[in-house]
């Protein structure tokens, strides 16, 4: 059976990445597999989300940063105004 845990916050800088990293670390000691998914994020100077980069390294995930890169809020807004929201959901 698959189970999910959602770590979220009401504002930036709340420490949710630190909490998520701690939760992942704890779960890895109890479970055979732990994954990470960030549906909406931001892009840093290198074009990838810093949280995704952190979790990829922490979990040793085999996916490229491009594959794991979340949709930006700007892309969501644009797709809503263009009527292409389904394409963003598919991604």
């Amino acid at each position: 059976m698959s189970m999910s845990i959602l770590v979220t916050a009401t504002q930036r800088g709340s420490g949710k990445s630190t909490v998520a990293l701690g939760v992942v670390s704890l779960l890895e000691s109890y479970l055979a597999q732990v994954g990470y998914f960030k549906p909406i994020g931001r892009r840093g100077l290198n074009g990838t989300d810093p949280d995704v980069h952190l979790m990829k390294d922490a979990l040793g995930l085999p996916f490229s940063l491009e594959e794991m890169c979340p949709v930006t809020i700007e892309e969501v807004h644009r797709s809503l105004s263009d009527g292409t929201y389904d394409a963003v959901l598919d991604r």
Side-chain angles (χ1 to χ4, degrees):
M1 172 198 306
S2 212
M3 295 184 350
S4 300
I5 295 175
L6 173 66
V7 177
T8 188
T10 56
Q11 61 189 6
R12 289 181 62 134
S14 63
K16 66 184 169 295
S17 297
T18 304
V19 170
L21 192 56
V23 169
V24 163
S25 179
L26 177 69
L27 291 174
E28 281 188 310
S29 64
Y30 289 98
L31 303 172
Q33 288 185 322
V34 177
Y36 175 79
F37 172 65
K38 184 172 184 178
I40 299 174
R42 58 192 168 92
R43 305 265 168 83
L45 296 176
N46 64 355
T48 62
D49 187 287
D51 296 338
V52 171
H53 197 271
L54 173 72
M55 290 298 192
K56 177 183 174 10
D57 289 347
L59 291 169
L61 297 171
F63 308 103
S64 71
L65 287 171
E66 291 77 28
E67 290 175 299
M68 294 178 64
C69 192
V71 175
T72 65
I73 194 67
E74 292 81 15
E75 290 172 299
V76 172
H77 287 221
R78 192 173 332 111
S79 70
L80 286 170
S81 65
D82 293 347
T84 59
Y85 188 64
D86 287 342
V88 171
L89 287 177
D90 289 343
R91 185 172 157 212

